[in-house]
Amino acid sequence: MLTIGVVGSQQFIAEISKYYGHYPTYKLISYTYTSPRELNTLIERAVKECNFLLFSGIIPYHYAKKQLDQYPIGSSYLSFNENMVALSLLAIHYHHSFKLSEMSIDLPRKRFLEGVLNEAGITEDADYVKEYPWIYDFQEERQLSIEDFVEFHSVLYEQKKTAFALTSIHAVYDKLQAKGIPSMFMVQSVPTLMEGLEKATTLAKLNQSKNSQVAAVCFNSNRNDQLEHFAKALQAKVTPSDSGLQMVLSNRGVLQTLILNQKLADLLNDTTNDFEKTAVGIGYGYTVKEAETHAITAFDFAEKNRSKLDLAVYLLDEEKKLTGPLFQNEEQYSLKNEDPVVKKLSAELKMSSKNISRFINFLQVNDFRPFSSQELADYFSISRRSAERMIKKLLDQQSLQVAGEEQPYDQGRPRSLYQAGSMLKGLSENKNGS
């Protein structure tokens, strides 16, 4: 049974845990924090107990991202969307009758609010809005200051410029409540919570499939003591291959952990310290034969570059993507001939072949079920508008077709659903067969 850790504030966990029972084939564990700064300790526990992590939103995910990169564990977060803003404004209007000009609002991007107002035909402006769009740039080393947002809302309220605060940050809501400032945390609807859980279960299965792949390692040493030393460190075994090379067989999860924690280079150096120049090939595959074949191909590339490096390590994965030399200025190449239809579609749609391939993967993950623009946006980690533009291109080329509409739990406007046309289904079948 796969274990999914759900990470969030006490308020979030109280809401989402109501729906754990919808997924009886998964074990769901809650990890509660009062401030994102507490995440380090929680993550240390969670990565040992879970196969996948679902975060309540972009903020805790941002705080945890650097730490998560050290482990071969999959993760996702609930996306912020216009529906949350619309439901929150409706609740405030209905229960408190405040105008936009009487509220202070914080949210990841101001355009979420502007989009709701434009679509609803509301001409009133929100005067006091604080956004934090940089949170989506995971390359940026920057921490979100809870105190800055608490001060933003508090000062406006104390100066009687506002009468109510709407926040997208649980820790800010807790502090505003403690100060006695009328406030509300943005509404997370049932569909949003359910979609988050559905996405987590789907991605958890994919992640397990990858981590359980066979990993084969071969290098230019025939000394059994060295091979056994290396295999023991990986809790693996040494086996001869048809090529005549000795292979160490493990699994992808173990190798990925060593690579991410920068321990594989030290281990290889210790194992091969009698050699001036060392070539190492690593292969991933769904079967032992596939992993061994990929390891030998990677080894051939390493051999060609051994004269230039003390330790030449190349890795070839199940998609025939070659990465190397590892631990150096590594680059990635594709050794798989790209489908000419993908190239043709890429040119017609003015989309990269990579995005076409990712889109096909998205269809496969969803078993070709009808999907919404929000589901596509979540998969690509892009805005819903960007997803809608992608869908429009595919509709114009008749690669997609409209499958109907979905009423999201009787709340909000019906959402259009789309499904793949015959060309994309054919591409998927070719891809699986390659």
Side-chain angles (χ1 to χ4, degrees), residues 351 359 376 380 382 386-394:
M351 287 171 58
F359 185 77
L376 183 63
F380 273 80
I382 57 178
S386 295
E388 287 170 347
R389 284 195 292 269
M390 185 185 298
I391 287 169
K392 186 178 184 305
K393 287 182 180 180
L394 291 162

Side-chain angles (χ1 to χ4, degrees), residues 19-310:
Y19 308 103
Y20 286 0
H22 290 238
Y23 302 91
T25 57
Y26 295 85
K27 182 179 180 182
L28 290 122
I29 301 177
S30 299
Y31 296 90
T32 308
Y33 63 84
T34 55
S35 168
R37 294 191 186 90
E38 300 171 7
L39 281 167
N40 284 350
T41 305
L42 277 182
I43 300 304
E44 286 294 332
R45 268 181 50 212
V47 295
K48 296 173 184 174
E49 300 170 350
C50 303
N51 306 105
F52 191 88
L53 297 180
L54 171 64
F55 290 83
S56 59
I58 183 67
I59 292 174
Y61 183 80
H62 178 86
Y63 270 83
K65 183 71 168 62
K66 190 172 182 180
Q67 191 177 4
L68 288 172
D69 286 343
Q70 300 173 29
Y71 302 95
I73 187 170
S75 57
S76 64
Y77 58 90
L78 264 68
S79 299
F80 193 93
N81 54 56
E82 288 97 336
N83 192 39
M84 292 173 64
V85 178
L87 289 174
S88 301
L89 293 180
L90 178 63
I92 293 170
H93 177 76
Y94 184 81
H95 294 293
H96 306 287
S97 300
F98 288 122
K99 296 179 180 178
L100 277 172
S101 59
E102 298 176 292
M103 287 187 273
S104 56
I105 304 171
D106 70 60
L107 71 175
R109 286 187 172 127
K110 190 176 180 180
R111 64 173 177 77
F112 288 117
L113 174 62
E114 293 169 342
V116 169
L117 298 180
N118 288 335
E119 290 184 28
I122 298 172
T123 56
E124 183 184 358
D125 290 327
D127 296 327
Y128 307 107
V129 180
K130 187 176 178 67
E131 61 177 348
Y132 44 101
W134 57 265
I135 198 84
Y136 292 99
D137 183 3
F138 295 115
Q139 303 304 315
E140 185 170 347
E141 291 290 334
R142 182 173 171 183
Q143 295 295 309
L144 184 142
S145 170
I146 301 298
E147 290 70 26
D148 282 353
F149 284 84
V150 174
E151 183 180 9
F152 165 72
H153 293 291
S154 300
V155 168
L156 289 168
Y157 180 76
E158 289 161 3
Q159 293 177 350
K160 300 191 184 303
K161 292 181 179 178
T162 60
F164 196 86
L166 175 61
T167 179
S168 58
I169 308 170
H170 275 116
V172 172
Y173 170 75
D174 291 338
K175 289 183 180 291
L176 292 175
Q177 287 287 294
K179 291 172 72 111
I181 295 175
S183 52
M184 187 178 87
F185 180 76
M186 292 221 175
V187 176
Q188 287 181 303
S189 65
V190 173
T192 300
L193 298 174
M194 294 292 287
E195 285 171 7
L197 287 169
E198 191 69 37
K199 179 181 177 181
T201 55
T202 301
L203 293 177
K205 282 191 288 188
L206 281 176
N207 196 62
Q208 183 197 38
S209 168
K210 279 202 166 185
N211 282 337
S212 61
Q213 285 177 11
V214 181
V217 185
C218 64
F219 46 87
N220 56 335
S221 170
N222 291 316
R223 284 184 50 180
N224 289 333
D225 57 334
Q226 289 181 321
L227 292 168
E228 292 294 342
H229 170 75
F230 181 72
K232 186 178 180 181
L234 268 65
Q235 297 181 324
K237 64 176 183 177
V238 181
T239 181
S241 74
D242 295 340
S243 67
L245 291 169
Q246 293 285 86
M247 292 280 178
V248 175
L249 295 181
S250 182
N251 67 63
R252 180 173 182 157
V254 171
L255 261 295
Q256 285 292 97
T257 300
L258 290 171
I259 292 170
L260 291 169
N261 289 324
Q262 300 180 331
K263 293 180 180 177
L264 185 61
D266 292 340
L267 182 57
L268 287 170
N269 280 319
D270 290 344
T271 303
T272 61
N273 55 14
D274 291 341
F275 294 87
E276 289 185 6
K277 305 285 185 180
T278 304
V280 179
I282 301 172
Y284 294 153
Y286 289 102
T287 65
V288 171
K289 182 64 178 174
E290 185 182 34
E292 287 184 352
T293 301
H294 290 170
I296 292 166
T297 302
F299 178 78
D300 289 342
F301 276 88
E303 277 280 88
K304 291 174 185 175
N305 290 277
R306 183 156 60 100
S307 61
K308 307 172 191 173
L309 303 164
D310 290 336

